[in-house]
Each structure stands twice: as C-alpha cells, then as structure tokens.
Amino acid sequence: MRCPGERSMHDKPVTSVVIAGGGTAGWMAAATLSRSFAPEALKITLVESAEIGTVGVGEATIPPILPLNAQLGIDEDELVRRTQGTYKLGIEFVDWGARGSRYFHPFGSYGADLGGVAFHHHWLRTREGALDDYSLNARAALSGRFDRPAEDPRSVLSKLSYALHFDATLYAALLRERSLAQGVEAIEGKIAEVVLDPASGHVDHLSLADGRVLRGDLYIDCTGFRGLLIEQALQTGYEDWSHWLPMNRALAVPTAPNGPPVPFTRSTADAAGWRWRIPLQHRVGNGHVYSSAFTDEAAATEALVAGLDGAMLADPRTLSFTTGRRRKAWHKNVVALGLAGGFVEPLESTSIHLIQRGVVTLMSLFPAAGFVQAEIDCYNRLMQTEMEEVRDFVILHYKQTLRDDTPFWRQVQAMPVPDSLAERMAIFAHSGRVLLGPGELFRETSWVAVLLGQGIMPRGHDPLADAIPEKDLRLTLQRMRAVIGRGVEALPTHADFLGRLSVGRHPTT
C-alpha cells in the first residue's frame, strides 16, 4: 500500500527516454524529440548495434514527409544531395487491374471542382479525354518533368504535389547527425535482456551484452520485426492481416541507373505478388514482394532478375514479414514505432509515413506527468485507425482486379474484405462517390485513381454535376486539358532539376 501523497516512479514527469534501435524509425524519433525538448529537460539515449543492422530498403515516401523534414529544420536541397534523392509525383501501376493495363496514382488533384462538385463526377458524366489528362502530376511524371510548385496561386503549376525517393540508410544517417547535434546520446551495444519491474510490469531497464545498464522513464521500441520490448518482453500480441494481405516475403536488389531517373515509382504486378522500381541518383532500388504460399524464393528471384533494366550492384536480399499490427502500439512505458509496431506492405509507400505518424502522435500525447491510461488508450486508437485505413487502401489493389490468370490472383479476387472497404467500393460503384473521414491519409484523388484504375467504372455520378450544360462542360474540360498541357511543357526535365541541385543552386519556379 502506498502512503498518502507518495508517488510511484510512474507518476513522475518523464525526463528520460531510451530508444531501442536505430534506422529510420529510431533516428526519426530521436530527431523529433530532441528538436522539441532541450537536453536538460529530456535526456534522450539511443542504443543500436552494428551486429543487427536495419532493413533499410524503404526508399519511397509520400507528401507528408515534406512538412516533417521542414519541422526538423532539414533543408530539402541538402537532403536530396545527401541521400542521392530524386522526386516522386506518384506511382505507376502496371498489370494490376488486368494484364497489359496501366494507370497512374498521382499526388495532387484531378482538374478543378466545378459548382461545388468534385471534378471526377464531371469527368464521369462526359468521359471527355482520359482522366490522367486532367492530372498535372501524372502528365509531368510520365513526361519525365519536375519542378517545385509555383508560388503564384493563379498558376496551374502551384498545384504540383510531390514526395521523395531517397536512400533510407543515408536518410537515417542525416537524422542521426542532427540528433547528436541536438544532444541525443548514441550508444553502440546489443540488448541482451529487457528487465521488467515486478510490481508494475513496466520496463525497468535494458541490460546490454557488455554488462552496461540503460534506464529511462519511457522506452521507444524500434527493434524491427522482433519487437524486442513491445512483444518479446511485454507480450502485447499481434493482429495478423495475412488473410487479406498474403504477401510475406520480399527480395531487394540495387541496380545501376539505366538513363535519367524518372520522377515516379513503378509497381508491376507479377504472378504471385508485385515488383517495385524506385530510381535514385546513384542507383535504382528494385524489389519483389510475394506470397510464399504461391511461389518459392527461386522463382521469385528469377522473376525479379528478369524484370531488371540495369546491372545488379549486389545480390538480392531476402526479407520475411507478416502483415498486421501490434494489438497495442503503446503498452505500459513502451511505445513501438516502425516495424516493431506492425507492417503494411510497401505498395503505397506508407512505411516511413507510419513511423512519422507514430512519432507525431506520441508528441501530441507525450506523458508530462507519468503514464495516464486514457492517453495511452487514445494513442492506440489513433494508430489503429491510421493503420487500418492504410490496410484497406492496399487491400483494394488486390481485391478489385480482373486478373484470374494465376491461383494467387484468383484467391485475392475472391477473398472477403473488411466491411469498411466493401462499403466504400459499393458506394463508388453505384454513384462514383468517395466518402472519407476528415483525418484519412489517402484522399479523394487517391481512391478515385485506384478504384478506376483497378476496373470499377461507376454506374452513375453525382446528380449535381448535371447542373452545368453539357456543351459548356465539355468546353471547360477541354480548356483544363490545354492549360495543364502548357504547364507541363514549361517544366524542366527531372534530370535538369536534379542537375541544378547537384551543384548547389536552388532551382526557381
């Protein structure tokens, strides 16, 4: 029994954090925390081991990475130079909806809304041109052109939206450098044991293989798929999503560049999964994500190598995973980030984003005076919702397909899906409407691109779109296409833009 007024160690303000594991997750957490707290207010220690290494293949991002980098004080030009980065305007999907098909998932928007009605409803009404004709991002990407958005909001070029491709290992090194400059202590060592407090069940300390002991008030688990703290020590459990997302293996291999880097990621569907192509300045990242229930490593490697368009710079690396999430991303005094918290395959480049969301959400609920269960529960609800929304969007790519040429595609086409996704697909198929919550990551453009690209053509459209006379509407759409076309022609090539960065000059828009 506690004496009146006595406070346990877990009622005290959090003044020290131990981050277990480096890589993108660990150093993003360290950089964010050390940017927000002075060293005297919060002691931050990160322990990592060169023996264990990191996955380090996540090279594609989505637009929310840009404001995070800005908040961390990272100059984008420096980042691109230091990480051998390139720019990303979206993702091209090949052979997904059907063999021989292609579509583009652009960042940004399609056309412009008219009369308070989303643009795609006007396109559905007229089918005037191809939908990609109304996407500045898609047309620029497929033309190999790029620039940052124009500052003048009247310019069509102000509508450009982009993300980055970069070498994840070099990005983690940049975050590490900034973290150390901001007072983070880095320790090289292998965690031998996670010791729990017998009374509370919280992590008391970490014992390293060389006998050193690390103590903190809050622990952040960035130990990858192992989940050394959140799972092996605290046993929070794992919710397996492989019945919806049966991918469980990946092969990754770098190749030499074969021509100028394109400003987009390419995803090509294969017999039992899909292959990625991510262009960097110094190399091209390639990989094959597949289900071991439908193919073996030898066949998957053969398919990967056959699809390469440059000389291999290393042997393919093999990764194993189970899609899903920890049942509790925050439990006791441990928060799991990155692969330690769960994994949704990298089809839509969300892995780094989910790390970012975990860090930002932790900052909004950072324990100021011990650990309040209501705040922990709130964090877990928010991260569960975030991951499930990403999960549904990724499942859509498999479920909605006309492919039936292999056992794999026949299975995913026939599989039941979460009710949340089934309802969204049914509504779009009927009326073209996309119903979204205010905080969802993937917005209307993303859903429209994939729903249409994978083969759902709505039976109708929003009746409010009929308020504009058809002749006037067609003329307006023609003008939109022309304006976008002129805007794309005014852009520099992606290679020229990168060339200006490489000599340290800031490109102008």
Side-chain angles (χ1 to χ4, degrees):
M1 172 180 282
R2 260 196 273 163
C3 298
E6 182 182 350
R7 301 176 69 188
S8 77
M9 61 179 286
H10 303 298
D11 292 330
K12 298 176 183 177
V14 169
T15 59
S16 60
V17 174
V18 173
I19 302 171
T24 303
W27 288 111
M28 184 177 284
T32 305
L33 287 168
S34 60
R35 179 78 172 178
S36 304
F37 292 96
E40 59 271 19
L42 186 69
K43 179 184 178 183
I44 304 167
T45 305
L46 186 147
V47 56
E48 61 182 342
S49 171
E51 293 180 37
I52 296 172
T54 58
V55 173
V57 299
E59 297 164 330
T61 66
I62 54 179
I65 192 74
L66 303 181
L68 176 71
N69 288 331
Q71 290 166 15
L72 294 178
I74 299 174
D75 177 76
E76 189 177 293
D77 290 359
E78 178 192 8
L79 186 156
V80 171
R81 286 192 292 267
R82 292 272 302 271
T83 65
Q84 294 290 311
T86 59
Y87 289 86
K88 176 181 175 182
L89 293 168
I91 306 172
E92 183 185 37
F93 287 92
V94 180
D95 291 340
W96 276 87
R99 287 183 64 86
S101 69
R102 288 176 181 262
Y103 71 92
F104 198 84
H105 169 195
F107 302 141
S109 59
Y110 290 115
D113 297 349
L114 301 170
V117 178
F119 171 80
H120 72 275
H121 288 285
H122 299 288
W123 180 83
L124 288 171
R125 178 187 171 195
T126 62
R127 312 288 172 88
E128 176 77 34
L131 186 60
D132 277 352
D133 291 344
Y134 300 92
S135 168
L136 179 64
N137 271 54
R139 292 178 68 172
L142 298 174
S143 299
R145 295 177 178 273
F146 176 79
D147 205 341
R148 293 195 180 109
E151 295 181 2
D152 185 351
R154 297 169 298 179
S155 169
V156 67
L157 297 180
S158 67
K159 307 302 181 186
L160 277 167
S161 179
Y162 67 93
L164 302 170
H165 301 127
F166 50 58
D167 184 314
T169 301
L170 295 177
Y171 181 62
L174 178 59
L175 294 175
R176 183 182 194 275
E177 179 183 297
R178 298 193 71 84
S179 299
L180 297 181
Q182 292 165 180
V184 174
E185 179 185 7
I187 292 177
E188 166 65 29
K190 187 174 181 180
I191 300 171
E193 186 180 7
V194 180
V195 180
L196 303 183
D197 175 59
S200 66
H202 286 231
V203 172
D204 181 75
H205 65 271
L206 307 180
S207 294
L208 304 188
D210 61 6
R212 286 177 293 174
V213 170
L214 295 180
R215 280 191 168 87
D217 300 322
L218 174 68
Y219 295 82
I220 300 179
D221 189 342
C222 300
T223 60
F225 293 121
R226 296 178 303 151
L228 190 59
L229 284 68
I230 196 71
E231 188 60 41
Q232 293 187 29
L234 296 183
Q235 299 180 351
T236 54
Y238 195 79
E239 186 175 298
D240 188 334
W241 291 342
S242 57
H243 52 295
W244 292 315
L245 296 169
M247 308 300 127
N248 61 356
R249 299 286 188 276
L251 295 161
V253 63
T255 57
N258 183 21
V262 295
F264 60 90
T265 301
R266 178 177 293 124
S267 169
T268 303
D270 215 313
W274 59 278
R275 291 175 282 115
W276 76 73
R277 184 183 187 280
I278 300 171
L280 304 179
Q281 293 185 49
H282 62 314
R283 62 176 169 82
V284 176
N286 308 272
H288 188 185
V289 180
Y290 66 95
S291 170
S292 63
F294 293 92
T295 192
D296 58 29
E297 185 172 333
T301 302
E302 182 179 354
L304 172 62
V305 172
L308 299 177
D309 57 12
M312 289 195 299
L313 301 177
D315 293 329
R317 293 175 55 202
T318 303
L319 303 169
S320 299
F321 57 88
T322 300
T323 53
R325 66 173 186 89
R326 300 288 172 205
R327 295 190 182 279
K328 296 179 180 178
W330 184 348
H331 186 47
K332 304 291 186 178
N333 61 339
V334 174
V335 177
L337 291 178
L339 301 177
F343 185 65
V344 180
E345 61 164 278
L347 182 59
E348 284 285 353
S349 309
T350 53
S351 296
I352 290 176
H353 174 76
L354 289 172
I355 297 170
Q356 176 183 339
R357 288 304 306 160
V359 173
V360 171
T361 305
L362 174 61
M363 293 301 299
S364 70
L365 293 166
F366 196 81
F371 297 90
V372 177
Q373 191 60 44
E375 293 180 343
I376 294 173
D377 293 342
C378 180
Y379 180 92
N380 286 327
R381 281 196 307 274
L382 291 171
M383 292 310 300
Q384 177 180 343
T385 298
E386 188 88 23
M387 289 199 71
E388 288 178 351
E389 288 171 352
V390 170
R391 174 203 69 190
D392 283 4
F393 189 61
V394 173
I395 292 171
L396 170 63
H397 298 66
Y398 295 101
K399 173 64 176 178
Q400 179 52 47
T401 182
L402 300 177
R403 291 193 61 159
D404 61 0
D405 52 299
T406 67
F408 168 79
W409 288 105
R410 288 192 290 273
Q411 175 174 303
V412 295
Q413 185 187 69
M415 69 180 172
V417 297
D419 292 344
S420 49
L421 175 59
E423 178 183 64
R424 188 165 293 183
M425 292 171 67
I427 291 171
F428 185 81
H430 174 69
S431 64
R433 290 190 173 96
V434 179
L435 302 183
L436 299 172
E440 290 194 38
L441 170 62
F442 291 106
R443 307 308 298 168
E444 193 166 58
T445 296
S446 297
W447 280 95
V448 169
V450 177
L451 286 161
L452 288 172
Q454 296 284 142
I456 296 183
M457 183 57 68
R459 295 186 293 275
H461 56 266
D462 189 331
L464 294 177
D466 296 332
I468 302 174
E470 183 174 344
K471 181 179 178 181
D472 294 344
L473 177 59
R474 289 186 181 276
L475 287 173
T476 299
L477 297 185
Q478 289 168 15
R479 285 195 292 268
M480 279 189 193
R481 296 201 304 274
V483 168
I484 291 171
R486 289 194 295 271
V488 170
E489 290 175 0
L491 294 171
T493 67
H494 185 219
D496 284 347
F497 186 93
L498 291 171
R500 282 181 271 171
L501 283 185
S502 68
V503 296
R505 287 195 288 131
H506 187 80
T508 57
T509 55

